[in-house]
């Protein structure tokens, strides 16, 4: 879509956007029971990375639209996606995300203009002066297309090396243009869209360390010389090797004290259950404790599409169920969830093992049927469960699998066979075959108890 068309289309949807914003505001006044509305109550946005390819999935889009107030295209605005060959810009996928966000009243973060990764090979083959021109053309191409539509841009991403040196990372930009490329990128960006906040974004800069010191010194230098920079993004990809630093808040605050906003831009924390929830709480509390921490973005809607393919680092599981981390974030944001409902997997952990059981008839024939009981752990991990099933007097069970029954009259008490241990919010179940003996009535499933 051309720039002019984007603006026209934006104007045409402005009424819709305003209506969506009003609905969101009314909603938040009633009950801040979503991440976006609870964060708004704290003067912050709560965003997520979004992939255009998932927008056709109903559960994905429903969760996105209900919970989040900002989106970051996960890959669609990167150089390889938007300018795969020189001066040929393609915005189809990125436009899809921006149009969706606008139609739901969500803000958009732009990610990312100048980065060593996901960079088409033609960029690396240019000589210095041509590369400088290409970098500015790329910034102008992207920022021009979305002018006035992006609340914050990651202008430069990951320009510093990991490890203790605090040195710049080798890249075509660094190697051919030298340290000045970052400043050149920010100056170009300011002119391209004066309304957008301009951010430097990086990882492993979340605590005070050599790398964050190097970024800190750069921002300080930029502020002292009037180089335009408005914000620093802290990606915040955490796991057991890279846990939430104990000086996270202190680090955010020292950057804020330089006169820039800080944003948590790509949050994910590997783990599960109450331990993961507690780490998410630390992150949200750190942001809320820093006045200039303007918002948080998690790096994806659901565990099933996380870039951490072997982990479960996000707030919704693969079935879009709220994880304990979700309840913890909502509570830390001051949202009014329903903490304390036994067995609600969205609630923060309170140390009490609990479970719920639901019954479905999975097969049916004249003389019998198969039943399935699904057991779901509550807000804490469990190591055992017990469920009673009361059958109509005439019926009898001929076989039962994935559970161990004991009988008292027509009541069977079922305990696990191999499947007693469940993570918080996780499910298992047992099945059985019953003979009707003249009664087609459903059995009654009693309370699930867990330890
Ligand atoms: O989540 C992104 C994944 O789908 C891409 O394959 C990957 C390619 O580099 O980039 C991921 O996002 C990265 C982000 O753009 C910058 N910070 C690190 C993120 C996770 O790798």
């Amino acid at each position: 879509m051309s720039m002019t068309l984007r603006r026209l289309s934006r104007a045409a949807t402005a009424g819709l956007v305003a209506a969506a914003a009003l609905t969101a505001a009314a909603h938040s006044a009633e009950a801040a029971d979503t991440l976006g509305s609870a964060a708004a109550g704290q003067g912050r946005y709560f965003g997520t990375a979004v992939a255009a390819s998932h927008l056709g999935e109903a559960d994905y889009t429903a969760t996105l639209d209900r919970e989040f107030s900002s989106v970051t295209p996960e890959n669609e605005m990167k150089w390889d996606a938007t300018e795969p060959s020189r001066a040929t810009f393609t915005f189809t996928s990125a436009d899809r995300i921006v149009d969706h966000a606008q139609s739901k009243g969500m803000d958009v973060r732009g990610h990312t203009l100048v980065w060593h990764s996901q960079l088409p090979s033609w960029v690396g083959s240019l000589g210095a002066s041509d590369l400088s021109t290409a970098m500015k053309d790329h910034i102008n191409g992207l920022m021009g297309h979305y002018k006035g539509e992006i609340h914050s841009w990651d202008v430069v991403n990951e320009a510093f090396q990991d490890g203790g040196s605090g040195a710049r990372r080798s890249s075509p930009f660094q190697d051919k243009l030298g340290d000045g490329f970052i400043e050149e990128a920010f100056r170009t960006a300011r002119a391209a869209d004066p309304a957008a906040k301009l951010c430097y974004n990086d990882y492993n800069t979340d605590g005070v360390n050599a790398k964050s010191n190097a970024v800190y010194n750069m921002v300080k230098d930029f502020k002292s010389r009037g180089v335009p920079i408005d914000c620093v993004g802290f990606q915040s990809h955490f796991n057991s090797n890279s846990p939430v630093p104990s000086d996270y808040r202190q680090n955010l605050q020292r950057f804020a004290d330089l006169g820039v906003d800080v944003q948590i831009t790509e949050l994910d924390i590997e783990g599960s259950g109450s331990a993961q929830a507690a780490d998410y709480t630390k992150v949200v509390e750190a942001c809320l404790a820093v006045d200039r921490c303007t918002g948080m973005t998690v790096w994806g809607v659901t565990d099933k599409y996380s870039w951490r393919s072997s982990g479960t680092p996000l707030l919704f599981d693969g079935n879009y169920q709220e994880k304990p981390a979700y309840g913890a974030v909502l509570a830390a944001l001051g949202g009014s969830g329903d903490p304390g409902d036994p067995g609600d997997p969205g609630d923060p952990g309170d140390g009490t093992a609990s479970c719920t059981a639901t019954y479905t008839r999975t097969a049916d024939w004249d003389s019998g049927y198969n039943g399935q009981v699904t057991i779901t752990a509550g807000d804490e991990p469990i190591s055992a469960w017990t469920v009673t099933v009361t059958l109509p007097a005439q019926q009898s069970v001929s076989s039962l699998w994935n559970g161990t029954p004991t009988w008292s009259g027509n009541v069977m008490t079922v305990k696990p066979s191999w499947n007693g241990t469940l993570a918080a919010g996780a499910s298992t179940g047992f099945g059985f075959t019953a003979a009707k003996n003249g009664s087609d009535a459903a059995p009654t499933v009693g309370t699930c108890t867990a330890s």
Side-chain angles (χ1 to χ4, degrees):
M1 196 184 286
S2 77
M3 191 163 75
T4 319
L5 274 176
R6 275 211 67 75
R7 288 203 184 122
L8 281 174
S9 135
R10 185 170 158 72
T13 55
L16 267 181
V17 174
L22 276 177
T23 312
H27 187 60
S28 103
E30 278 163 24
D33 56 1
T34 66
L35 300 171
S37 59
Q42 304 288 344
R44 267 80 174 180
Y45 67 83
F46 201 98
T48 178
V50 164
S53 57
H54 303 317
L55 286 175
E57 187 181 323
D59 287 346
Y60 182 92
T61 310
T63 308
L64 167 67
D65 296 351
R66 184 182 70 242
E67 296 290 342
F68 297 97
S69 56
S70 169
V71 302
T72 305
E74 186 171 357
N75 290 297
E76 292 78 354
M77 285 187 178
K78 292 173 180 174
W79 201 314
D80 60 353
T82 51
E83 196 186 3
S85 54
R86 192 166 184 179
T88 304
F89 288 92
T90 55
F91 293 114
T92 318
S93 297
D95 276 356
R96 204 167 156 216
I97 295 175
V98 174
D99 290 345
H100 181 88
Q102 290 176 346
S103 75
K104 302 295 174 187
M106 301 175 197
D107 288 331
V108 183
R109 285 194 92 255
H111 175 80
T112 176
L113 297 167
V114 182
W115 187 28
H116 66 276
S117 183
Q118 289 176 275
L119 192 63
S121 56
W122 67 264
V123 182
S125 66
L126 300 176
S129 121
D130 226 6
L131 177 62
S132 167
T133 306
M135 182 182 81
K136 291 183 220 163
D137 288 349
H138 185 73
I139 293 170
N140 285 324
L142 269 281
M143 293 187 76
H145 182 75
Y146 293 111
K147 191 167 182 173
E149 304 184 68
I150 305 289
H151 72 77
S152 307
W153 268 107
D154 290 331
V155 178
V156 175
N157 195 40
E158 301 175 6
F160 287 83
Q161 264 177 30
D162 261 351
S165 71
R168 293 293 185 83
R169 176 199 295 276
S170 170
S171 72
F173 309 106
Q174 181 67 35
D175 300 349
K176 291 176 187 166
L177 306 179
D179 285 357
F181 88 87
I182 301 186
E183 171 171 352
E184 198 175 353
F186 274 84
R187 290 190 192 281
T188 307
R190 177 65 91 225
D193 184 357
K197 300 253 190 199
L198 307 181
C199 303
Y200 176 80
N201 190 52
D202 215 327
Y203 66 94
N204 286 352
T205 50
D206 312 298
V208 176
N209 57 39
K211 190 173 177 182
S212 66
N213 286 345
V215 176
Y216 179 88
N217 289 332
M218 178 188 75
V219 175
K220 193 173 176 187
D221 171 55
F222 279 15
K223 293 303 278 186
S224 74
R225 291 191 297 112
V227 179
I229 184 166
D230 306 305
C231 37
V232 176
F234 297 84
Q235 293 184 10
S236 307
H237 294 291
F238 297 124
N239 57 26
S240 53
N241 294 322
S242 176
V244 182
S246 55
D247 55 7
Y248 192 50
R249 183 198 56 74
Q250 178 197 339
N251 190 46
L252 297 177
Q253 187 63 60
R254 72 170 176 150
F255 277 87
D257 290 343
L258 290 175
V260 288
D261 289 345
V262 294
Q263 301 179 5
I264 293 165
T265 50
E266 303 182 15
L267 176 62
D268 52 17
I269 309 178
E270 290 192 72
S272 63
S274 50
Q276 183 182 48
D279 281 338
Y280 265 100
T281 299
K282 283 187 211 163
V283 171
V284 174
E285 286 180 346
C287 179
L288 295 183
V290 175
D291 284 349
R292 293 197 73 148
C293 182
T294 56
M296 291 148 266
T297 296
V298 288
W299 205 238
V301 175
T302 159
D303 281 341
K304 79 171 160 171
Y305 297 136
S306 167
W307 72 290
R308 301 273 209 198
S309 50
S310 59
T312 53
L314 296 170
L315 301 178
F316 293 91
D317 71 15
N319 296 316
Y320 298 95
Q321 296 301 300
E322 298 164 358
K323 293 165 60 182
Y326 170 90
V329 169
L330 189 60
L333 290 169
S336 56
D338 51 351
D341 281 1
D344 181 344
D347 288 336
D350 61 2
T352 310
S354 61
C355 56
T356 53
T358 56
Y359 166 78
T360 44
R361 188 176 286 202
T362 52
D364 189 44
W365 58 96
D366 282 353
S367 60
Y369 65 91
N370 284 342
Q372 174 75 21
V373 176
T374 300
I375 290 141
T376 303
D379 53 12
E380 295 289 342
I382 65 173
S383 54
W385 45 263
T386 305
V387 181
T388 56
V389 180
T390 304
L391 286 116
Q394 300 94 316
Q395 295 182 7
S396 58
V397 168
S398 57
S399 68
L400 186 144
W401 53 96
N402 297 334
T404 308
T406 52
W407 287 93
S408 171
N410 63 334
V411 179
M412 63 176 180
T413 300
V414 185
K415 292 177 183 290
S417 46
W418 52 274
N419 50 350
T421 301
L422 291 178
S427 295
T428 187
F430 62 87
F432 59 91
T433 300
K436 292 180 182 171
N437 299 326
S439 166
D440 196 30
T444 310
V445 175
T447 309
C448 187
T449 55
S451 57

